[in-house]
Amino acid sequence: MHTPDWMARGQPHIWLPYAQMKTATPPLPVVRSHGSRLELADGRSLIDGVASWWTACHGYNHPHIAQAVRAQLDAMPHVMFGGLTHEPALNLARRLAGMLGPGLDRVFYTDSGSVAVEVAMKMALQFWLNQGERGRSRFLAFRGGYHGDTFGTMAVCDPDEGMHSLYRGMLAEHDIVDLPRTEGELAALEAHLEIHGARLAGILVEPLVQGAGGMLLHDPEVLRRLRRLADRHGLLLIFDEIFTGFGRTGTLFAFEQAGIRPDIVTLSKALTGGTLPLAATVASSRVFEAFWSDDPSHALMHGPTFMGNALACAAANASLDLFESEPRLAQAQAISTALAAGLEPCRELPWVRDVRVLGAIGVVELDGITDREALKRRLVDAGVWVRPFGNVVYLTPALTIAEDELASLMRAVVDVLRQRRP
Ligand SMILES: Cc1ncc(COP(=O)(O)O)c(C=O)c1O
């Protein structure tokens, strides 16, 4: 592989994510992106099956977003959000409230998914404190879950699969239990809540698919059960839609498929169409009202420096324009149908445990991956960018991916997996 000069000189100074720096394969130098394509420094072009960690829902370099960001850059890239405000942030808040529907109508901006979840947790804890209840300091979260890498969020990830088991004993303690998929698991959860419900502030879950914890799907009925249990015990229900939000599961938000509403929802990833970092924690009026007071100590004490960044809000507004003007949900449905058919041949391979599809998410679960780096290399050699983790190879392409590109992407995955046990 050709290594450009800037990489040879910069690489000794960079610390990469989720990587043993001594042994990790060097990252691929990307010089340009467009549509569903990544162009490498050596001239190769890869079809992107990941959409940059599920962010680039409109594909790369959509001209409408580019134009909106350029115009905002000329007018005002950023001003502090403490004591100042601006049109892109308030327009975006109003539009998000409109899209999320009645009740979910107070938007708090941050700049990453993890921090959006931290803010949701702070909101839930203080919701109770502001009402004089001091004993509700824990959350109910689920095995298989992933909510981020910060200290607050590590504590609500799956304690074994969530990449953070090293920190055991150093994190806040929460109740991490099985999702109530079966009647037995539901009964166990009901019993747990009868005993421990009064010490909980809320229930935190990724609706319909637990992403980074293993691409594990669950039925909308699970979410209805959680809503009923939250109501019975007076708990706040928090949906982390950082992965699922903006069409990924086939509806704009995953919770729509369950016909119920959370009390708080977190959004990021596809919010700006994958262009700029931005996240939002959106609270219901019930949550917000617990902070509405003459007592200054009842205020939410949080305020990231780049909160409500005007460039990011302009990008997000442009991204929402595209959800209104282009058929993203129909595209997600078409991708879903194609993934189900295109990945089906993997099911016959003796080392494949499961093939599952939800919206524009296609997952091949293997019984193990011995050499993940080698598998990734073989996929790159086949012309696609796919990043296997744990035991899964998954596809979450841009919702705008062309039919022939999606077909090539799936063919590459099937061929590479078929060659030999990975
Ligand atoms: C469901 C969910 N929550 C939270 C996060 C954390 O977001 P970030 O990486 O932007 O901090 C992620 C990231 O993958 C996620 O999938």
Side-chain angles (χ1 to χ4, degrees), residues 54 112-115 117 146-149 206 212 240 242-243 268-269:
W54 327 324
S112 77
S114 300
V115 178
V117 175
Y146 175 82
H147 299 285
D149 292 343
E206 298 157 85
D240 179 350
I242 285 163
F243 173 31
S268 187
K269 300 253 186 221

Side-chain angles (χ1 to χ4, degrees), residues 254-268:
F255 72 76
E256 294 168 29
Q257 295 182 42
I260 47 123
R261 310 176 62 68
D263 300 298
I264 301 176
V265 64
T266 55
L267 304 170
S268 187

Side-chain angles (χ1 to χ4, degrees), residues 202-331:
I203 301 176
L204 173 60
V205 69
E206 298 157 85
L208 298 189
V209 51
Q210 294 176 302
M215 295 286 169
L216 307 164
L217 310 183
H218 56 261
D219 198 82
E221 176 57 19
V222 169
L223 302 175
R224 288 190 284 271
R225 288 173 174 173
L226 294 180
R227 180 71 270 178
R228 281 197 294 275
L229 289 171
D231 290 343
R232 191 182 304 159
H233 294 272
L235 307 177
L236 295 178
L237 184 59
I238 305 167
F239 282 174
D240 179 350
E241 293 241 17
I242 285 163
F243 173 31
T244 52
F246 303 103
R248 183 53 65 188
T249 66
T251 45
L252 205 46
F253 302 103
F255 72 76
E256 294 168 29
Q257 295 182 42
I260 47 123
R261 310 176 62 68
D263 300 298
I264 301 176
V265 64
T266 55
L267 304 170
S268 187
K269 300 253 186 221
L271 174 57
T272 62
T275 55
L276 284 155
L278 184 68
T281 307
V282 188
S284 67
S285 347
R286 175 184 169 218
V287 172
F288 182 73
E289 275 159 19
F291 291 75
W292 184 264
S293 155
D294 294 322
D295 184 343
S297 76
H298 285 186
L300 180 64
M301 297 309 282
H302 204 97
T305 305
F306 281 99
M307 174 172 187
N309 175 261
L311 286 174
C313 290
N317 276 310
S319 176
L320 297 194
D321 293 343
L322 294 174
F323 275 97
E324 287 168 7
S325 63
E326 297 187 3
R328 288 293 172 270
L329 297 184
Q331 287 167 322

Side-chain angles (χ1 to χ4, degrees), residues 10-21:
Q11 189 67 6
H13 303 286
I14 203 75
W15 201 328
L16 298 167
Y18 308 120
Q20 170 45 260
M21 294 298 293

